[in-house]
Amino acid sequence: MWEEGFRILSYDTRIEPASFWILMSAAIIVTVIFAAYRSPRRNPVLFCKFLLAEYAVAILLVTIVLRKPFAVPEGFRQSFWGDKAFLIEDSLSEVAANVMLFVPIGVLSFCGMRSHRLLKTMAIGLGLSLVIETLQGITQKGVADVNDVVSNCLGVAIGCGLGLGLLWLKGSRQS
């Protein structure tokens, strides 16, 4: 398994484990440094925006930069609906991974804004997903697929729901 790449829910991200752990360690260190200089309690919206930016960079690194090229037949390179399922042995795991990957985007975007949260959050998630799929198609480090965009947007919507729940919980504790 480790020779093939790091796996999440049987979904092969095709990145080296060492790269993954270096990325995670760097993210933790940068977050701790940011939190030391900008208290999350004093400005939680700014902290959410910082975490969102950091997470978006991490997603781009994992899905494009650190990923090994994914050898697929040329006809599948830009599969626009469902063709990719023939290439992946467990496509349900891939859908679940795509949904879960974007839940934090929904939560952090939603909590990092003061107004028009739902529309802006969905736009951020859709934009990031389209950038990833476009880059995967161009760099051939993945398969550009509309299913991924739909799964990612579902993850953002779930994240929005969680963000709304967090704000409701915060409001109910203050009253």
Side-chain angles (χ1 to χ4, degrees):
M1 177 173 92
W2 290 106
E3 294 80 30
E4 297 172 14
F6 189 78
R7 290 182 183 271
I8 301 171
L9 285 179
S10 302
Y11 179 67
D12 187 1
T13 60
R14 298 190 184 275
I15 65 170
E16 297 295 327
S19 300
F20 177 80
W21 292 115
I22 289 170
L23 172 66
M24 296 310 297
S25 301
I28 290 168
I29 291 167
V30 169
T31 303
V32 167
I33 291 170
F34 185 85
Y37 287 102
R38 299 279 186 175
S39 172
R41 288 182 186 225
R42 214 177 305 148
N43 195 343
V45 171
L46 178 65
F47 192 66
C48 283
K49 288 178 181 179
F50 167 76
L51 289 177
L52 174 64
E54 184 179 48
Y55 190 73
V57 168
I59 287 177
L60 287 170
L61 286 172
V62 168
T63 58
I64 305 294
V65 177
L66 299 175
R67 196 174 204 185
K68 295 177 186 175
F70 186 61
V72 296
E74 191 57 40
F76 288 100
R77 184 59 54 200
Q78 280 85 25
S79 111
F80 288 109
W81 196 268
D83 292 340
K84 189 167 70 167
F86 295 112
L87 299 174
I88 299 170
E89 58 192 55
D90 189 4
S91 58
L92 186 59
S93 289
E94 194 221 352
V95 170
N98 276 318
V99 169
M100 289 189 318
L101 186 67
F102 272 69
V103 168
I105 295 289
V107 173
L108 293 170
S109 297
F110 194 85
C111 293
M113 294 179 208
R114 298 188 194 281
S115 65
H116 305 293
R117 290 185 175 130
L118 185 59
L119 290 175
K120 286 181 182 177
T121 298
M122 292 306 294
I124 288 169
L126 176 64
L128 181 60
S129 183
L130 289 173
V131 165
I132 289 169
E133 295 306 313
T134 302
L135 289 174
Q136 282 181 344
I138 292 170
T139 64
Q140 299 186 359
K141 290 189 175 184
V143 178
D145 191 4
V146 172
N147 292 337
D148 292 348
V149 175
V150 172
S151 299
N152 294 342
C153 287
L154 178 60
V156 172
I158 291 169
C160 283
L162 291 173
L164 184 62
L166 288 171
L167 290 176
W168 178 80
L169 207 66
K170 180 183 173 186
S172 67
R173 272 201 252 154
Q174 289 177 351
S175 39

